[in-house]
């Protein structure tokens, strides 16, 4: 159905022009006109939905582009994408941290199937082209861009083997990456703490990143360490960017663990220096002090994952291996409050849910077990499907990161729905970043703390991520651009999601348009699904 809107009386805000008073006319999915005083629309013909929208008192900004997401499977299950659109996000960039939903074969596929089957998702694709075709046909309230994941590609070629790849295997990986880029992936992601991505050396990653660059794509990396070897990992990231000649995006920049907090200044200094030397590097961050990931990735060294899930589980069942893991772990984490900082966020839905929301210390006390043993028991019980929040960061570093002008704001979250009575809005307990990221950044860090001005704050959520990804017609208020808009009250915008109650949309986000159709009206989802699958190379 055609869809036309005239948005009158608001204050426009984008990174190009800052604040300006103007009206907007939207038609056929695009911003058709921007002018100080547009005439009210004539009564709409019956085949045309839409009309005038009075935006007095509201700020009209480009829809937020969430550059770091993990919605590649959830997008099929929760097409209304409430956690995103109710927080003003109109485009979701998924396939991050090496974990794209293609190629989907072998052990990698089996793990994803086991994780998502309880939510009714049948994965009937294998290749990137098949995934994109299915995603294109699926209804969605949000635009979706997807990266090709190095981990998925490596898994398809060498499984979960802890060894370097040979020339023939590298060729096979390059072909799979080329196929994904051809199908419309926006670049390559890596997740170098996760199996099997963690088994790759720098050369393997640089070779693949070079192919992404040749196709016009970028390289996004969850670097090899965010803690004990943070600075070495930053150096490796910069080395890959340099060798590949690729645009590099350092994912969720942070210093994790009390002992590593003092390293953040030096990490930032190295990124600034690289940029001053002309390297095209940027980063993203979420405005929270806790990370969230798989509990086994948090607790286990790389060798424990070798060979895949069954091997990992049999290691965890072996008391001798457990002792070795415990020695290794206690050497790395002597902090006395370590197990108080980790809280179980989600477990597989078909097992008992009693651990959700508890810290590892609480679980250990309840079971009269050592905390590490209690955690290993939980991982075994749920066949590795356990995620956890880890309160690993500090406020001073968070502010320092968010103040850097090359840092885009990304949630690092999968899209979710609004919770039904008694559930968390999807699988397990969310991290509040899933619902609160843009509002927390704008409300707390821009408005209340004045870390940046509004024009710069909006840039980090819109044109900066658009430029990093290469989304040429989004992220700016321009005639001819895609009509993705968020209308918010700058005095009221505030996150409401907490660790205890994460599935709460923010205050102050009033209306959201995706491709010219209204998906949020007065803070409520309209049910519209005008989102598109965005393929690199298309406009
Ligand atoms: Zn990550």
């Amino acid at each position: 159905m055609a869809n036309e809107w005239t948005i009158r009386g608001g204050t426009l805000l984008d990174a190009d022009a800052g604040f300006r008073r103007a009206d907007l006319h939207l038609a056929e999915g695009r911003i058709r006109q921007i002018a100080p005083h547009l005439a009210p629309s004539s009564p709409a013909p019956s085949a045309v939905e839409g009309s005038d929208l009075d935006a007095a008192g509201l700020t009209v900004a480009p829809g937020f582009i969430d550059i770091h997401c993990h919605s590649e499977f959830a997008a099929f299950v929760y097409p209304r994408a409430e956690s995103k659109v109710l927080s003003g996000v109109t485009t979701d960039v998924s396939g991050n941290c090496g974990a794209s939903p293609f190629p989907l074969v072998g052990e990698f596929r089996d793990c994803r199937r086991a994780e998502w089957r309880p939510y009714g998702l049948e994965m009937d694709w294998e290749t990137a082209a098949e995934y994109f075709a299915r995603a294109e046909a699926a209804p969605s309230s949000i635009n979706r861009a997807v990266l090709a994941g190095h981990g998925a590609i490596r898994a398809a070629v060498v499984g979960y083997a802890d060894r370097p790849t040979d020339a023939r295997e590298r060729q096979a990986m390059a072909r799979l990456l080329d196929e994904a880029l051809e199908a419309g992936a926006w670049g390559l992601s890596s997740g170098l703490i996760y199996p099997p991505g963690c088994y790759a050396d720098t050369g393997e990653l640089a070779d693949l990143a070079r192919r992404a660059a040749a196709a016009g794509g970028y390289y996004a990396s969850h670097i090899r360490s965010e803690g004990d070897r943070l600075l070495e990992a930053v150096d490796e990231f910069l080395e890959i960017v340099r060798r590949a000649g690729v645009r590099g995006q350092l994912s969720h920049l942070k210093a994790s663990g009390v002992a590593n907090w003092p390293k953040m200044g030096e990490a930032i200094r190295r990124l600034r220096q690289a940029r001053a030397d002309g390297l095209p590097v940027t980063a993203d961050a979420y405005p929270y002090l806790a990370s969230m990931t798989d509990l086994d990735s948090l607790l286990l060294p790389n060798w424990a994952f070798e060979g895949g899930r069954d091997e990992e589980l049999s290691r965890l069942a072996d008391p001798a291996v457990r002792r070795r893991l415990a020695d290794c772990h206690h050497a790395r984490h002597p902090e006395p409050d370590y197990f108080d900082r980790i809280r179980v966020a989600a477990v597989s839905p078909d097992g008992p849910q009693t651990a959700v929301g508890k810290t590892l210390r609480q679980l250990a006390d309840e079971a009269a077990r050592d905390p590490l043993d209690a955690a290993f028991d939980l991982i075994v019980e749920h066949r590795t499907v356990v995620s956890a929040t880890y309160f690993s960061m500090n406020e001073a570093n968070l502010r320092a990161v968010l103040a850097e002008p090359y840092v885009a704001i990304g949630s690092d979250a999968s899209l979710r729905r609004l919770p039904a009575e008694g559930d968390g809005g999807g699988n397990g307990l969310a991290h509040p970043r899933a619902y609160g990221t843009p509002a927390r950044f704008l409300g707390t860090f821009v408005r209340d703390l004045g870390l940046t001005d509004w024009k710069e704050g909006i840039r980090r959520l819109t044109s900066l991520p658009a430029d990093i990804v290469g989304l040429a017609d989004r992220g700016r208020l321009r005639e001819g651009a895609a009509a993705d808009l968020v209308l918010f009250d700058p005095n009221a915008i505030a996150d409401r999601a907490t660790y205890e109650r994460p599935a709460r949309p923010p205050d102050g986000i009033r209306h959201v348009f995706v491709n010219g159709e209204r998906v949020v009206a007065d803070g409520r989802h309209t049910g519209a699904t005008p989102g598109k699958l965005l393929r690199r190379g298309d406009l």
Side-chain angles (χ1 to χ4, degrees):
M1 188 192 291
N3 216 297
E4 293 202 16
W5 287 90
T6 303
I7 297 172
R8 294 188 301 120
T11 301
L12 274 47
L13 171 63
D14 79 352
D16 290 347
F19 284 111
R20 58 186 154 143
R21 263 286 309 116
D23 298 344
L24 292 161
H25 182 66
L26 317 181
E28 291 163 349
R30 307 235 151 227
I31 299 173
R32 284 289 168 223
Q33 200 182 358
I34 302 177
H37 294 288
L38 290 175
S41 305
S42 48
S46 58
V48 176
E49 192 181 84
S51 59
D52 277 15
L53 180 66
D54 178 4
L58 298 178
T59 297
V60 183
F64 304 144
I65 296 169
D66 191 344
I67 194 168
H68 191 101
C69 305
H70 296 281
S71 307
E72 55 277 345
F73 298 110
F76 295 117
V77 181
Y78 310 120
R80 289 158 58 107
E82 279 116 326
S83 64
K84 301 281 183 187
V85 295
L86 292 172
S87 60
V89 172
T90 53
T91 298
D92 168 296
V93 183
S94 278
N96 274 286
C97 301
S100 57
F102 50 79
L104 197 64
V105 294
E107 164 98 11
F108 182 81
R109 175 195 58 207
D110 296 345
C111 290
R112 267 64 197 176
R113 279 191 174 160
E115 193 177 335
W116 283 98
R117 188 172 289 128
Y119 302 97
L121 176 60
E122 289 303 328
M123 298 179 188
D124 54 3
W125 66 88
E126 180 178 319
T127 67
E130 288 163 0
Y131 174 85
F132 278 105
R134 170 137 181 211
E136 197 150 57
S140 172
S141 294
I142 198 169
N143 300 311
R144 291 143 295 145
V146 187
L147 293 164
H150 162 264
I153 289 172
R154 196 178 215 270
V157 174
V158 289
Y160 286 70
D162 180 3
R163 62 170 175 80
T165 40
D166 63 27
R168 193 188 51 78
E169 290 163 342
R170 289 195 187 200
Q171 267 178 15
M173 291 174 68
R175 264 197 307 277
L176 289 169
L177 174 59
D178 289 348
E179 273 178 38
L181 294 164
E182 182 77 13
W186 292 82
L188 174 71
S189 76
S190 68
L192 304 182
I193 68 157
Y194 301 110
C198 59
Y199 303 133
D201 59 26
T202 306
E204 175 182 317
L205 294 158
D207 285 352
L208 290 172
R210 192 174 302 117
R211 298 186 90 87
Y218 70 107
Y219 172 65
S221 184
H222 180 150
I223 60 176
R224 212 175 283 274
S225 169
E226 297 177 329
D228 297 345
R229 297 182 61 77
L230 170 65
L231 296 176
E232 293 85 344
V234 169
D235 286 346
E236 183 192 31
F237 167 76
L238 295 174
E239 171 73 15
I240 290 166
V241 169
R242 197 175 286 117
R243 278 163 66 172
V246 72
R247 307 194 315 278
Q249 173 76 359
L250 199 157
S251 300
H252 38 58
L253 176 59
K254 65 171 83 74
S256 185
V258 182
N260 301 305
W261 290 346
K263 296 175 184 169
M264 183 48 84
E266 177 60 17
I268 287 175
R269 197 196 64 74
R270 290 183 194 188
L271 290 171
R272 284 183 182 171
Q273 186 61 50
R275 287 171 54 81
D277 294 343
L279 274 192
V281 292
T282 46
D284 54 76
Y286 47 84
Y288 291 89
L289 296 179
S291 59
M292 178 164 161
T293 191
D294 301 324
L295 184 60
D296 57 355
S297 294
L298 209 53
L299 299 178
L300 301 180
N302 291 348
W303 58 262
F305 300 105
E306 219 262 320
R309 178 182 296 200
D310 289 342
E311 305 258 331
E312 175 189 345
L313 290 171
S314 65
R315 285 186 190 102
L316 286 175
D318 178 339
V321 181
R322 275 203 185 194
R323 274 195 297 280
R324 203 177 139 206
L325 289 169
D327 290 345
C328 170
H329 189 272
H330 294 317
R332 274 175 39 226
H333 288 287
E335 321 76 281
D337 63 347
Y338 181 75
F339 295 107
D340 300 290
R341 290 176 172 273
I342 298 175
R343 182 181 346 197
V344 177
V347 296
S348 59
D350 37 11
Q353 303 292 303
T354 46
V356 172
K358 290 179 183 158
T359 67
L360 295 187
R361 175 78 61 199
Q362 287 170 322
L363 286 180
D365 289 348
E366 280 177 13
R369 304 272 278 160
D370 170 80
L372 210 49
D373 267 323
F376 292 163
D377 291 347
L378 190 68
I379 292 167
V380 171
E381 180 178 13
H382 290 276
R383 295 192 53 77
T384 76
V385 184
V386 183
S387 62
T389 46
Y390 173 28
F391 290 82
S392 62
M393 292 168 258
N394 69 335
E395 184 75 26
N397 281 345
L398 177 60
R399 292 189 195 186
V401 166
L402 295 178
E404 291 295 294
Y406 52 85
V407 173
I409 308 306
S411 70
D412 197 6
S414 167
L415 65 80
R416 302 170 70 90
R417 59 174 167 73
L418 278 181
E421 195 62 38
D423 80 7
N427 33 333
L429 192 67
H431 187 298
R433 68 192 181 188
Y435 295 81
T437 288
R440 183 168 172 79
F441 177 66
L442 291 176
T444 301
F445 291 93
V446 173
R447 182 194 55 218
D448 296 348
L449 295 170
L451 205 64
T452 75
D453 63 21
W454 279 99
K455 182 180 170 188
E456 171 66 4
I458 280 295
R459 188 180 72 85
R460 309 286 203 82
L461 287 157
T462 58
S463 61
L464 177 61
D467 292 346
I468 293 169
V469 178
L471 299 165
D473 66 343
R474 295 176 200 271
R476 291 178 170 84
L477 299 178
R478 272 188 195 156
E479 292 179 358
D484 294 345
L485 302 174
V486 53
L487 280 67
F488 64 92
D489 178 344
N491 299 312
I493 192 167
D495 61 304
R496 295 167 61 241
T498 62
Y499 291 96
E500 290 71 31
R501 296 191 59 193
R504 299 167 84 190
D507 283 334
I509 304 284
R510 296 283 304 283
H511 306 280
V512 178
F513 291 81
V514 173
N515 298 315
E517 286 190 46
R518 191 155 66 154
V519 296
V520 175
D522 289 317
R524 292 186 182 280
H525 202 294
T526 64
T529 53
K532 292 181 180 170
L533 177 82
L534 307 177
R535 298 181 193 242
R536 192 187 50 78
D538 292 353
L539 257 192

